[in-house]
Amino acid sequence: MAISASDFSIASNGDLRQAAAFVPGTSTPYTILDLHAWLQDLADNAAPAGDDNVSILGSNPSELAGKRNASRPSALSLLNGINVNDATAQWFKFGSLEQASGGTLYAGIKTIGSIVAGTPMYIVQNNALPNSGTKWWANGHIQTNIKVKSGGSLIAAGVVSVFARKYTDAQRLTFSHFDADLSAGSEQVAAINTTVDAEATLTATQCAAVWAASKISLTYADTTQDLGGGQGSKLHKGTIALANGCTLREAYCALQYACREGSSTTFNGIEGWRYRSLDQARSLGAGYAENLAAPFGSFAGGKWFVAQGWWVTGVLPGESQNYQLTAHDGTIETPPNTIGITAGGLVAGDYVIIARDNGSGGFANDTTLASSATAGATTVALTAAPSDTPTGAGFIRINGNAHTYTGRSGNTISGLSPAVPVGGYAAGLPAFIPFLDKVAASTSESSSSFLYSSGFTVRMRVRNGGASPIIPFETTFSVGSTGGSANAVRAADV
Amino acid sequence: MSAISVPAHVSFFGVSLLPSSRGRYYVGNMEAIERQRLSTDAMGNCTVTLQNVVIGSRYRVEISATGATVVDGVAANSTVDLTVPYYSSGNGSNSLRIKVRNGSGTPSYRPFETQAEAAAGAALVWVSQELDE
């Protein structure tokens, strides 16, 4: 589009200035090539016309790198004192503008990607919002230019970041940002993707209320914690403390809200609108993978996948399974998954035993005694107790003898009942830990809860040779992440 | 310029001066009249020929040191003969800057600029305009 001469003036000192400020969404930007064509058009005039002091009387005003091509970005050098200021530069797009012998560079930036129509975007340069935070582009994909070199020095190495973080009462979108290196000039792209965030069910107003109710607080200090899911103690670099009944979804929404465009919240000094990760907030240099869509972690399927480095406290009991952490070292941490095993179809007096299947019609010996146990002892040490057995009250068979116990701590079984019999136990005797090993007191018996690790198969035997004799019942069934159960088939043995 | 002077080589009041310039000179009736030139006056004209000019291009010849216009116009042919003054040897006004531009039409050309030295006789300038397309 040919430039309208009335839009600009060129003073005799080379100052190329706008006649009126560029209005986003109203003014139509010109391409860099348009500017070059206009300047060259003026340059072959016999004498200056109007307020545009460029003609053949003066030096060449501009030079294009390469040939004129309207289908590709242009790299234009303004020569011999011709220059624009920041405000005037807002009128141009699709290329870069260099002046002051290369000491000043306005480089083009263009966003691409799949976005929700009208997604607002903003640019962060050198940890700040350029132009005092006043955007010179309309909502939706942007194509403009921005000063990346001044006085011969690149601003923030020529890198700018484009963000899209909309969280309002009317609409909540997934977040996105992209770092673009504009130091080479011309026009560079930034990939931005947004979708409607169906998990962000709290409005901005509701999120503000979450913060006002002090339901969330954050601390930025090392803490080594064991979530209990089998990953062991792990270092975390910060803590998200939930309180006052804060649900995980409330936490997710409120933290998204705090990271929205225009947020005044800061995270360890980092403004929410440019917060990316705990790595950034604490200047760890650990290379945490950024979650573009949700800086504090995504929420999906009712579960919060908390961003790396954070430890979370105060999770409501009912949501104890609905989150996942990533430790500082990158280890995925899951909350403990406690399950149980249930036998049904029983009658009081049935004897039921359920233990790991050995695959050949019997029970597997889980481990052995690590050391001898003297008669009367109520504590024994095992070589390697399976982690997925009850740590509270349970059952144990040592060399075939049935005992109950009151607690298991690692490989140590305590509270044996009956105590170790006369003669004691020698080290190395076989031992296994049944999940049930008792006379049924009702139609259903359940094991104590234990930590799920991985699936396995158990064998169940139900017998009753007493007053209501049955044909011995035996079966196997699988135990998964939700536990396991089976019903006995009681066939009378009469 | 014109002046009335005593012939420089004529002894006058016992002083004998040698001429520093030559020009029209008349002597008679005990007087001598000669026409002298200042060192800044043109000594004659030089024909500057621009060759290979894109027809329709604007050209401009100016004095390099001052930017003062010597001649300008629009090329009607690919060869343009221009008459420019030349000066005594060493005069800065002999250094000319020649601009040829054609940025308005289609195709457009990058501004061409070169220099030439005006002297007795002619100066040939080969113009090489690059497409700005």
Side-chain angles (χ1 to χ4, degrees), chain A residues 267-325:
Chain A
F267 299 105
N268 207 29
I270 303 293
E271 297 90 344
W273 44 262
R274 67 180 182 93
Y275 173 85
R276 299 169 177 228
S277 69
L278 185 55
D279 190 358
Q280 173 204 29
R282 291 199 58 190
S283 302
L284 301 174
Y288 287 3
E290 294 179 354
N291 187 326
L292 303 183
F296 280 90
S298 299
F299 202 94
K303 186 172 182 178
W304 186 20
F305 298 85
V306 181
Q308 187 172 1
W310 288 108
W311 175 251
V312 179
T313 64
V315 176
L316 296 175
E319 295 188 314
S320 63
Q321 297 295 313
N322 298 340
Y323 71 109
Q324 172 184 297
L325 305 180

Side-chain angles (χ1 to χ4, degrees), chain A residues 165-208:
Chain A
R165 291 185 171 184
K166 182 176 184 179
Y167 200 113
T168 65
D169 283 343
Q171 188 179 50
R172 276 82 65 194
L173 306 181
T174 56
F175 293 173
S176 184
H177 67 260
F178 190 94
D179 300 327
D181 185 350
L182 309 185
S183 60
S186 189
E187 180 180 79
Q188 308 299 329
V189 298
I192 297 293
N193 295 284
T194 62
T195 60
V196 173
D197 187 356
E199 299 288 357
T201 53
L202 272 68
T203 65
T205 301
Q206 290 169 324
C207 289

Side-chain angles (χ1 to χ4, degrees), chain A residues 219-236:
Chain A
T219 53
Y220 306 89
D222 290 7
T223 180
T224 300
Q225 300 286 350
D226 185 352
L227 189 55
Q231 293 79 36
S233 291
K234 292 292 178 183
L235 175 63
H236 301 78

Side-chain angles (χ1 to χ4, degrees), chain A residues 432-475:
Chain A
F432 66 95
I433 301 175
F435 298 94
L436 283 174
D437 189 3
K438 64 182 295 189
V439 175
S442 65
T443 58
S444 177
E445 292 286 348
S446 294
S447 71
S448 296
S449 61
F450 59 93
L451 181 65
Y452 171 77
S453 176
S454 61
F456 56 90
T457 301
V458 293
R459 178 173 293 275
M460 177 172 81
R461 289 174 179 167
V462 179
R463 295 181 183 177
N464 192 333
S468 303
I470 59 170
I471 297 173
F473 173 76
E474 186 162 342
T475 190

Side-chain angles (χ1 to χ4, degrees), chain A residues 36-37 40-41 43-46 55-61 63-69, chain B residues 58-60 62 67 69 72 99-105 108-111 113 131-133:
Chain A
H36 175 63
Q40 290 300 313
D41 190 14
D44 69 0
N45 289 346
S55 73
I56 201 168
L57 296 175
S59 300
N60 181 17
E63 183 177 56
L64 200 63
K67 297 181 179 298
R68 295 191 189 192
N69 188 333
Chain B
R58 180 172 298 281
Y59 59 83
R60 170 180 165 84
E62 60 190 27
T69 304
D72 67 357
K99 299 175 180 174
V100 182
R101 296 183 184 178
N102 189 343
S104 303
S108 297
Y109 294 84
R110 296 175 187 276
E113 193 167 309
L131 279 172
D132 188 14
E133 292 292 340

